[in-house]
Amino acid sequence: MCMITGTTTELQTLSWFHVAILVWMRWLVSLVFRLVYPLLTFLAAGFAVDLSIASLLITVQVAASLLSPLGGVLSDRFGDRMVILWGGIVFVVGVAVCAVSSSFRLFLSGYAIVGLAVAIGMPALQSYVSARSHYSQRGRLLGVLELSWALSALLGVPLVTWVAERFGLAMVFAGLTIVGTATVGLITLLPNDERTHYAQSGGDTSAEVNPIQIVLKPVILAALSFIFVQMAAVELIFVSYAGWLEHTFGATTIELGLVFGLLGVVELVGSPAATLFTDRIGKRRAVLGGFALVGVWLLLLPQSTSWFTFLILLLAFDLCFEFAIVSTFPLISGLSAQGRGTVLATMTASIGGGRILGSLVAPWLSVSAGYAVNSTLAGILVLCGVGFGIMVMREGRA
């Protein structure tokens, strides 16, 4: 057995086989979440819609994350494993709808269902692992889980795009439906968490958790506010860096694709770094230090005088961001044992809300003030958020 909590009941341990099931599910969901980006023009052409209409797929995905608190409440009420299972079932329904879609509207509906599955299932998955791992090892274990996000871009998306171009989109989602159904079967092999779920609240399985009271605890509210500001700030760059490269350095589509690939490699470095070092240096210190470096790189980015300098700073920014955001999950998970699912789900909603705000502001700011202002403002917001975090964020132990 690999993960042992403060008590010794068998229900509170996971074998590496169970961890592999959870990582696989996280990878599969991440793959479907991310594949829409490189396939956006392909989808627009296939359904004969304008690219701006096709981009609604991205909007639906991000907006669905705002429903994450619902998944957290269900997780705390019925158990993490049950919500993971139902999230998997909803995921299968969503990709099946996409597989049989003959119109963009129906495909969009299927993708909205997938977004709902992600919103309710992923926080429950993180809560499930957190409840079955000691706090001192949680950064390592959640880091392994989050590694699947980077691997989905490097190992999954290229394969899916090749299949889509060769055999069509329906074949891709038909395959995903079959694989998703098999994954739901694997989820049933996970240990039940009924007693584990309530072990840290005195073993009273009848105790009700008030989600509003949990979220409004000062230490949790401060952490959620911190992550909202950070995500809104960095989205100013993630939305605009391609336009910045084209406008300032004359980057071609091929070169932009190369940059996207390099960012994927950086993600694959940042996640394992968090897995290896977050527990050792302390979760609070890892989060605040990581985001402090993010702010520094963002302030330096407008000073770039060459393509090479810009690329190095952009990659350094993304590396530190990946390290910091992956470290944030174990930090947040330890703030409250009671209502852990609600806390993690509300964090997901805060991430989504920050991304929505940043994505709405970034294009307008780029046009009206210039790309350099995007980066400077983002850097200032990130560093102000770090200062706020130093004053109010605390290390948990739950």
Side-chain angles (χ1 to χ4, degrees), residues 42-381:
F42 182 85
L43 287 163
F47 288 109
V49 296
D50 187 76
L51 189 60
S52 62
I53 299 298
S55 66
L56 288 174
L57 292 165
I58 298 175
T59 304
V60 162
Q61 284 190 128
V62 177
S65 65
L66 300 180
L67 298 175
S68 293
L70 172 63
V73 172
L74 294 174
S75 184
D76 290 328
R77 177 66 180 86
F78 299 106
D80 300 321
R81 179 179 175 273
M82 180 63 71
V83 176
I84 294 170
L85 180 62
W86 279 104
I89 293 171
V90 173
F91 172 83
V92 171
V93 172
V95 292
V97 170
C98 290
V100 301
S101 297
S102 58
S103 68
F104 178 76
R105 182 174 297 181
L106 185 59
F107 188 87
L108 181 64
S109 299
Y111 234 81
I113 295 172
V114 171
L116 177 62
V118 175
I120 66 174
M122 291 305 98
L125 194 153
Q126 293 164 340
S127 178
Y128 184 83
V129 172
S130 298
R132 292 170 177 273
S133 60
H134 194 276
Y135 186 75
S136 63
Q137 299 178 341
R138 196 171 301 157
R140 184 186 314 163
L141 297 167
L142 288 178
V144 169
L145 199 64
E146 290 305 310
L147 181 61
S148 57
W149 172 263
L151 289 175
S152 68
L154 292 178
L155 301 181
V157 172
L159 174 62
V160 167
T161 53
W162 178 82
V163 173
E165 291 181 357
R166 191 175 182 86
F167 301 103
L169 203 61
M171 182 64 72
V172 168
F173 282 91
L176 289 170
T177 302
I178 295 171
V179 173
T181 302
T183 302
V184 170
L186 289 174
I187 294 171
T188 63
L189 301 178
L190 295 172
N192 205 333
D193 61 349
E194 183 177 357
R195 290 201 314 238
T196 301
H197 188 67
Y198 294 98
Q200 291 171 316
S201 58
D204 181 10
T205 59
S206 65
E208 292 290 337
V209 177
N210 187 322
I212 297 179
Q213 289 181 352
I214 293 293
V215 172
L216 291 182
K217 287 182 178 180
V219 66
I220 294 175
L221 192 60
L224 295 174
S225 301
F226 170 84
I227 196 62
F228 178 88
V229 171
Q230 301 301 327
M231 293 306 300
V234 299
E235 197 70 8
L236 294 177
I237 295 302
F238 282 131
V239 170
S240 61
Y241 79 84
W244 194 348
L245 285 168
E246 286 181 324
H247 181 266
T248 305
F249 300 104
T252 65
T253 302
I254 294 176
E255 289 170 333
L256 290 176
L258 175 62
V259 171
F260 182 81
L262 290 174
L263 290 174
V265 173
V266 164
E267 288 179 3
L268 196 57
V269 174
S271 291
T275 302
L276 292 172
F277 299 113
T278 295
D279 290 327
R280 297 180 183 180
I281 65 180
K283 298 168 184 62
R284 178 178 178 273
R285 190 178 295 116
V287 171
L288 295 175
F291 275 115
L293 288 174
V294 167
V296 171
W297 302 133
L298 287 173
L299 290 178
L300 290 176
L301 201 57
Q303 311 306 316
S304 305
T305 56
S306 67
W307 163 277
F308 180 76
T309 304
F310 185 95
L311 183 60
I312 293 299
L313 290 173
L314 182 67
L315 294 176
F317 148 73
D318 195 41
L319 174 65
C320 293
F321 170 73
E322 187 68 17
F323 176 86
I325 194 64
V326 171
S327 299
T328 303
F329 287 101
L331 175 67
I332 297 293
S333 76
L335 296 181
S336 176
Q338 187 183 38
R340 196 194 316 270
T342 296
V343 174
L344 285 167
T346 308
M347 176 187 170
T348 301
S350 297
I351 290 174
R355 287 184 62 196
I356 290 173
L357 178 61
S359 65
L360 291 174
V361 173
W364 169 81
L365 192 63
S366 300
V367 172
S368 61
Y371 294 107
V373 175
N374 280 47
S375 187
T376 301
L377 177 60
I380 292 172
L381 287 173

Side-chain angles (χ1 to χ4, degrees), residues 13-47:
T13 60
L14 291 175
S15 69
W16 284 113
F17 173 69
H18 298 135
V19 175
I21 293 173
L22 296 167
V23 170
W24 167 256
M25 181 179 180
R26 181 73 169 96
W27 180 86
L28 182 63
V29 170
S30 299
L31 170 63
V32 177
F33 189 91
R34 303 191 77 171
L35 66 83
V36 67
Y37 291 88
L39 289 178
L40 204 57
T41 55
F42 182 85
L43 287 163
F47 288 109

